Amino acid sequence: MEEYTGPDLNHDDSIIKLSSAVHRFRCPLISNNEKLSFSNSFKTSGSDPRTQQALREADRARNLFTESLEGASGNGKKINNQSILETAQVYRPKIHQILVTCKVRPDRARLDSRLFFAWQSGAESNGAKGRKTFQSEALMYELCMTIASEAMATAGLACDESANGDFASSANHYKRAAGIFEFLGETQLPKWVARGKRHYE
């Protein structure tokens, strides 16, 4: 006769699947990357070699970020949330550097060609063709959308880990994503609203 060790605290697989169910939102999508170049737009005002180098690095970082987001466009490619997260983290300080430079040195905000940042929402439709495009000339808009993508990718990693049964890692990524969204909503977006329609911000 086996010794009684107490009640069975294990849960049925169906209960675990129900309690760990998640709804995944896609990352937003950059829709006009081929038309945008920081190097060309700031060609005159940013003629200093170090500035041009920084602008070229920003262009490269944005191109890589765009490529990683293409997996979230609903075109059959597998979504790589880790790639989106990593490229967003590389691009974010680049766009922030440009934003701060234009704020401190307004003379550097003179453009040879206008910058239009166009993004499509990842929460409105499964297919890229069904998404509405939102466009702005504000650098702050580009920064906020990059931060939002970073948050969505982090939440996407949490979904992946939850589906794989790694609930501890999933909870950590959900916590991190919540912190990014909190920073975006309470710090970055109010700054943009307060600055109004000043395009370089």
Side-chain angles (χ1 to χ4, degrees):
M1 181 177 180
E2 295 183 0
E3 182 179 355
Y4 177 72
T5 57
D8 183 4
L9 299 179
N10 292 322
H11 301 292
D12 292 336
D13 289 344
S14 57
I15 299 297
I16 294 176
K17 289 180 180 179
L18 178 63
S19 61
S20 61
V22 293
H23 183 78
R24 185 191 303 272
F25 288 99
R26 293 179 177 272
C27 289
L29 181 68
I30 295 174
S31 61
N32 70 334
N33 188 58
E34 70 283 354
K35 301 178 182 178
L36 189 147
S37 170
F38 294 112
S39 299
N40 292 336
S41 293
F42 291 99
K43 188 173 183 179
T44 301
S45 60
S47 57
D48 178 80
R50 289 177 298 180
T51 301
Q52 279 295 310
Q53 177 64 25
L55 293 171
R56 286 193 294 268
E57 290 178 359
D59 285 336
R60 284 195 293 269
R62 193 176 198 267
N63 289 336
L64 291 174
F65 181 40
T66 301
E67 290 175 5
S68 68
L69 286 170
E70 287 178 351
S73 64
N75 57 8
K77 295 182 180 179
K78 182 179 179 181
I79 298 174
N80 188 335
N81 290 298
Q82 186 63 44
S83 176
I84 295 172
L85 178 60
E86 290 175 355
T87 53
Q89 290 174 337
V90 171
Y91 177 54
R92 174 171 39 80
K94 308 292 185 185
I95 186 65
H96 183 261
Q97 181 183 16
I98 296 173
L99 175 63
V100 171
T101 300
C102 290
K103 179 182 178 181
V104 176
R105 294 284 304 275
D107 58 300
R108 296 290 181 90
R110 294 197 303 268
L111 302 177
D112 294 273
S113 59
R114 298 170 71 180
L115 288 169
F116 290 99
F117 302 105
W119 286 77
Q120 295 176 339
S121 171
E124 293 186 341
S125 172
N126 287 332
K129 293 182 179 180
R131 299 180 183 179
K132 182 179 179 181
T133 298
F134 299 89
Q135 182 170 282
S136 174
E137 294 180 75
L139 289 165
M140 180 62 83
Y141 173 63
E142 177 81 347
L143 177 62
C144 287
M145 291 303 296
T146 302
I147 295 173
S149 299
E150 188 175 343
M152 295 296 287
T154 304
L157 285 174
C159 290
D160 294 339
E161 290 160 344
S162 178
N164 293 331
D166 188 353
F167 301 116
S169 296
S170 177
N172 287 334
H173 274 109
Y174 275 127
K175 183 178 179 180
R176 191 173 304 168
I180 299 172
F181 278 122
E182 183 179 20
F183 170 73
L184 180 63
E186 297 185 2
T187 302
Q188 292 300 118
L189 290 178
K191 286 182 182 179
W192 188 18
V193 172
R195 288 168 179 166
K197 296 182 179 180
R198 284 152 52 179
H199 290 326
Y200 64 86
E201 295 188 282

